[in-house]
Amino acid sequence: MGAVTSKTIALAAEQKYGHSSGSKKDASSGGQQVQDTAKEIMSCTAVNPVSGAYFDLSDLTRLATNDESDFHIRGHDYGQNFTLNLCAPVISTPQNVLDVENSVNVSAYYTTEKGQIVSIGQANDRPMFRGRKLVLEYTDGSPCPTAPNLRRSTLITLSCDRELLQTIAFSFVGQLHECAYFFEARTPHACPKAGSSSNGPDTLGPFAMFAVISFVMASVYVLVISRRRVPYIHACLNGSLSLISHRTSKPTSSSDDIRKF
């Protein structure tokens, strides 16, 4: 992802804490405090390199200190269910993971019918952008059965959903050769934080977008109908005025004839 610049740290600090931790004073000191601040700020956050919008996913990380549990996702036709955490190792801390030395850092896994725990990725707290997609990738899982020299990995695509009633909604998309696993997560936390710039398509939710489109269509309809009815209104008014003029002109002519007579 490249080095974390002081400008990025300052932007993230301002969005996350309301003040800048990447000031010139901190940057020039080069001390451990700046490094610790950068690590804390950038954990489970991302900045869109194109629009500059800031994204904070840290509230989605499940913590044992909060008596929370891991995310559990159904695998449907794959035949296995998955357990994972976001930007941190799973809370459950599985033991005897298939060909993984450090099971403490496992962020996603599933259990086979024989009770074997298979890791599909180690912890990673650095979401990133691939094009316009915000993704989180876990690598270095258990060996792939079709290619033992390769390790299993997980790719989670995080999509902005402002209308979602829950914190996050996971879905298993699929897998490739039992080596790469793909998930989609919809959450309001994947939307740009307030005050950050964004030119992306996720600035409005689907219901809000539908409401805007409906309002525009209704306005156009009313405008068209009103324009079509204007000639008829004018014709009716002109006809009524002609009739009134005709009726009022008759008594005048009769009185003139009587006077002449």
Side-chain angles (χ1 to χ4, degrees):
M1 293 179 60
V4 178
T5 63
S6 58
K7 182 179 180 181
T8 304
I9 296 173
L11 173 62
E14 185 177 355
Q15 292 290 339
K16 193 168 187 177
Y17 301 119
H19 61 82
S20 175
S21 295
S23 62
K24 293 182 179 180
K25 181 179 179 180
D26 292 335
S28 61
S29 64
Q32 186 64 33
Q33 182 180 1
V34 176
Q35 297 179 5
D36 294 341
T37 302
K39 184 177 180 181
E40 179 184 359
I41 292 172
M42 300 307 296
S43 178
C44 213
T45 63
V47 176
N48 189 313
V50 177
S51 66
Y54 174 70
F55 298 79
D56 188 356
L57 308 173
S58 58
D59 288 339
L60 298 175
T61 301
R62 294 296 177 92
L63 303 174
T65 55
N66 297 341
D67 294 329
E68 296 175 329
S69 60
D70 297 312
F71 296 105
H72 300 284
I73 307 167
R74 295 188 60 184
H76 301 289
D77 59 328
Y78 181 64
Q80 307 293 345
N81 296 327
F82 302 92
T83 301
L84 60 81
N85 199 357
L86 279 177
C87 298
V90 291
I91 299 175
S92 52
T93 312
Q95 303 296 325
N96 301 321
V97 182
L98 179 63
D99 292 332
V100 172
E101 296 181 359
N102 190 4
S103 61
V104 178
N105 286 331
V106 172
S107 277
Y109 72 91
Y110 67 86
T111 305
T112 65
E113 296 178 354
K114 297 180 179 181
Q116 178 66 66
I117 297 177
V118 179
S119 170
I120 57 174
Q122 300 286 89
N124 174 28
D125 63 351
R126 295 292 188 269
M128 61 180 293
F129 276 88
R130 285 219 173 100
R132 301 177 72 175
K133 295 291 185 180
L134 179 61
V135 300
L136 180 64
E137 187 174 11
Y138 297 148
T139 58
D140 297 327
S142 299
C144 301
T146 55
N149 59 321
L150 299 178
R151 293 273 177 176
R152 304 185 198 222
S153 63
T154 293
L155 186 67
I156 305 172
T157 303
L158 297 125
S159 302
C160 171
D161 190 343
R162 301 182 190 274
E163 310 296 336
L164 193 66
L165 298 180
Q166 60 198 81
T167 304
I168 188 170
F170 275 101
S171 59
F172 173 61
V173 178
Q175 56 84 26
L176 184 63
H177 304 308
E178 294 188 39
C179 195
Y181 298 81
F182 305 94
F183 298 87
E184 181 183 17
R186 295 181 295 108
T187 172
H189 293 277
C191 303
K193 298 293 287 184
S196 63
S197 60
S198 175
N199 297 322
D202 293 328
T203 53
L204 285 178
F207 292 103
M209 184 64 72
F210 176 77
V212 171
I213 294 175
S214 300
F215 174 77
V216 173
M217 293 180 64
S219 300
V220 173
Y221 176 79
V222 171
L223 181 62
V224 172
I225 294 300
S226 62
R227 287 186 176 181
R228 288 182 177 179
R229 289 183 176 179
V230 165
Y232 295 101
I233 295 174
H234 288 172
C236 292
L237 291 175
N238 292 334
S240 300
L241 292 175
S242 299
L243 181 61
I244 294 172
S245 176
H246 178 69
R247 288 182 177 180
T248 54
S249 63
K250 286 184 177 180
T252 305
S253 59
S254 300
S255 60
D256 292 341
D257 292 341
I258 292 173
R259 290 176 183 176
K260 290 179 181 181
F261 181 79

